[in-house]
Amino acid sequence: MRYEGSVYRPPSEAGSLIIQATIGCSHNACTFCPMYWDKKFRARSFDEIYADLRRARRENARVERIFFADGDALCLSAERLLPLLEAAKALFPECARIGIYGRADNIRRKSGGELRSLRDAGLGIIYIGAESGSAEVLRRVNKGETPEEITAAVRRAENAGIAVSVTFISGLGGRALMEEHAVMTGKQIGEMGASFVGLMTLMIAPGSSISEDLRTGKFQPLDAQALIRELELILTNADCKKDCVIRSNHASNRLVLRGTLPGDRARLLSQVRRAMTDETLLRPDRYRGL
Ligand code: SF4
């Protein structure tokens, strides 16, 4: 496949066929996110995307998963997404799941009926970045959305039968807001009812506005032990009422966790507490990446 610029996908879409339905991110303003700096946002036409799907059909004997990028491809209206999903299913009848990146706002702008139509057309999972359960942290990183808006969007998609995978970023509150970030993130995980939660760890990109805050001392990052303490607080506050698969398998993380809340909470917490006294359980800095 040929792609326009760098292409990103969630860890669990590593084996998927990636198709760019949009280029860049329509928001492109979060202070910590360098992923789409080099791109001017635009929606691709159906014909452009369909040409990619047909090329991929010629190049791949079997495709079990398809993932629509870039950063918030779900910003396309249901009217534009439905023909894409139908074309993908027609060309790849063996495909078991179609996923997409989105912002909570993209979900909120769709009616319940539209979300159910997208599900019926094959959309199985939406990946969104919540980043933090703290409204103040989201304000500081210019997320452009509140935790309440994100929780409401996750519930609407899950109620429509589309699984949602929500990412939070360890360390995003820095030292000043560590406790608030951790407690509110844990509470949000417990309340929003997402099928999946992924934890990443803040990696500061040179040239980002958060890197400028780091240089001036306005933002003070967490060290390895504080990150583990934060993880403990997140898990302690995550009172999930329905099963939620939680993973910290992203390359940016120091400690790899996998389990299902609420059942595995005690095991995950004991893993975290072991890492507080045994640094050999942590991934060394040189092996971390975005
Ligand atoms: S974090 Fe998500 S919404 Fe924010 S700029 Fe990056 S891709 Fe866009």
Side-chain angles (χ1 to χ4, degrees), residues 215-275:
R215 193 186 64 76
T216 59
K218 195 171 158 196
F219 181 84
Q220 296 176 315
L222 301 189
D223 61 20
Q225 277 306 319
L227 283 166
I228 300 303
R229 167 78 185 125
E230 185 186 83
L231 203 47
E232 183 192 31
L233 269 177
I234 291 173
L235 289 171
T236 306
N237 283 279
D239 281 320
C240 294
K241 308 292 180 291
K242 64 172 244 202
D243 281 0
C244 171
V245 174
I246 185 162
R247 301 187 193 103
S248 67
N249 57 345
H250 190 268
S252 60
N253 292 316
R254 292 177 185 275
L255 181 64
V256 175
L257 298 174
R258 280 192 194 85
T260 303
L261 297 173
D264 292 332
R265 183 155 66 162
R267 174 181 62 78
L268 294 171
L269 273 169
S270 89
Q271 205 179 328
V272 169
R273 286 169 186 149
R274 274 203 309 280

Side-chain angles (χ1 to χ4, degrees), residues 76-192:
L76 297 180
S77 65
E79 208 177 15
R80 292 181 77 167
L81 282 168
L82 280 169
L84 282 181
L85 293 166
E86 283 157 8
K89 288 296 273 186
L91 281 168
F92 299 94
E94 75 276 23
C95 175
R97 187 177 84 180
I98 300 178
I100 196 165
Y101 267 147
R103 279 170 58 81
D105 177 58
N106 307 153
I107 298 173
R108 292 200 316 276
R109 287 174 187 273
K110 293 175 175 63
S111 71
E114 287 175 330
L115 290 170
R116 285 189 293 279
S117 301
L118 294 173
R119 175 205 61 199
D120 293 345
L123 184 61
I125 186 163
I126 298 170
Y127 296 85
I128 71 169
E131 329 306 1
S132 175
S134 155
E136 177 58 16
V137 173
L138 293 192
R139 191 190 65 74
R140 291 190 187 189
V141 302
N142 199 27
K143 182 71 187 172
E145 302 186 301
T146 66
E148 290 73 25
E149 289 169 336
I150 293 168
T151 292
V154 171
R155 287 183 182 151
R156 288 190 65 233
E158 291 274 353
N159 286 340
I162 304 173
V164 186
S165 179
V166 185
T167 303
F168 292 89
I169 303 180
S170 294
L172 193 60
R175 287 191 359 219
L177 292 177
M178 181 277 233
E179 194 156 330
E180 175 177 332
H181 171 62
V183 171
M184 299 310 287
T185 293
K187 287 186 187 304
Q188 189 172 11
I189 292 171
E191 289 163 8
M192 68 186 172

